[in-house]
Amino acid sequence: MMPTSVYDDVQAARRYAVEMHDGQLYGGQPYVYHLDAVASALAPFGPTAQVIGYLHDVVEDTGATVQAVRERFGSFNADAVALLTDEPGATRKERKARTYAKLSTVTGPLELALVAKVADRLSNVRECLLEGNVPMWDIYRSEHVAFRTAAFRPGRCDDMWVELDALLAPTSPPTSSDA
């Protein structure tokens, strides 16, 4: 059955992502915990942003393909997911460098994918602080300048950038009570 409203689109994307991420954990939580956090952060940007938020990891972390996303959710959403999917590489540093290079070229309507990427990163950083995952926080902090250079677009999601910049700015990670 095809979705009949934007609300149905968001719910269909959530169901598909939950199905595809079945059995995966985000920290100690079912993966949907992360997907709901990202989609919630994207609510002010509209239902298409939320659809992208739910689908942002399905190609990277499951057996889903960009073509499967395209068939279910349309070309725009599939193109956004393709942008958000890490490029191949032997190390995280190599994957991220290639991915950030790809993100840096995005213009026009697909900049909405960058907003989803910022919501994803913000969710990840918040979770690091909540769980006290200093090694991962350190990784995000070390990548922040390159990530910001690739994904920042003035006026797109400035409030999320302000929070992300603040959470990654200290020389030592804040505690969850500071965040």
Side-chain angles (χ1 to χ4, degrees):
M1 182 170 141
M2 293 298 292
T4 57
S5 72
V6 291
Y7 174 78
D8 290 341
D9 292 343
V10 172
Q11 293 308 307
R14 185 181 190 276
R15 281 190 305 274
Y16 180 70
V18 167
E19 175 187 330
M20 295 308 296
H21 288 283
D22 186 43
Q24 292 179 354
L25 296 177
Y26 182 82
Q29 303 286 333
Y31 205 82
V32 69
Y33 169 84
H34 171 61
L35 299 175
D36 284 339
V38 172
S40 177
L42 292 168
F45 301 92
T48 300
Q50 290 183 287
V51 167
I52 295 166
Y54 277 118
L55 300 175
H56 79 275
D57 276 339
V58 296
V59 171
E60 186 173 296
D61 294 342
T62 78
T65 64
V66 172
Q67 185 57 36
V69 173
R70 186 174 316 285
E71 290 167 5
R72 287 176 176 250
F73 301 100
S75 290
F76 182 82
N77 292 318
D79 291 347
V81 170
L83 284 169
L84 298 175
T85 300
D86 272 355
E87 292 296 305
T91 65
R92 179 183 174 95
K93 184 175 181 176
E94 192 176 301
R95 287 189 306 276
K96 294 303 178 185
R98 290 177 178 171
T99 302
Y100 296 164
K102 174 177 65 173
L103 295 178
S104 71
T105 67
V106 175
T107 60
L110 277 172
E111 287 181 0
L112 189 58
L114 301 178
V115 176
K117 188 67 173 169
V118 176
D120 173 39
R121 180 61 57 101
L122 183 56
S123 173
N124 290 337
V125 169
R126 286 174 176 164
E127 193 64 21
C128 284
L129 295 171
L130 184 66
E131 297 297 322
N133 187 344
V134 175
M136 196 67 223
W137 180 86
D138 282 335
I139 290 170
Y140 289 130
R141 186 166 184 274
S142 72
E143 295 172 349
H144 189 59
V145 170
F147 175 70
R148 193 179 211 293
T149 299
F152 178 76
R153 301 296 186 276
R156 272 293 182 178
C157 54
D158 292 341
D159 290 345
M160 283 195 283
W161 279 111
V162 166
E163 183 181 353
L164 188 59
D165 290 344
L167 292 175
L168 294 171
T171 56
S172 61
T175 64
S176 59
S177 62
D178 294 335

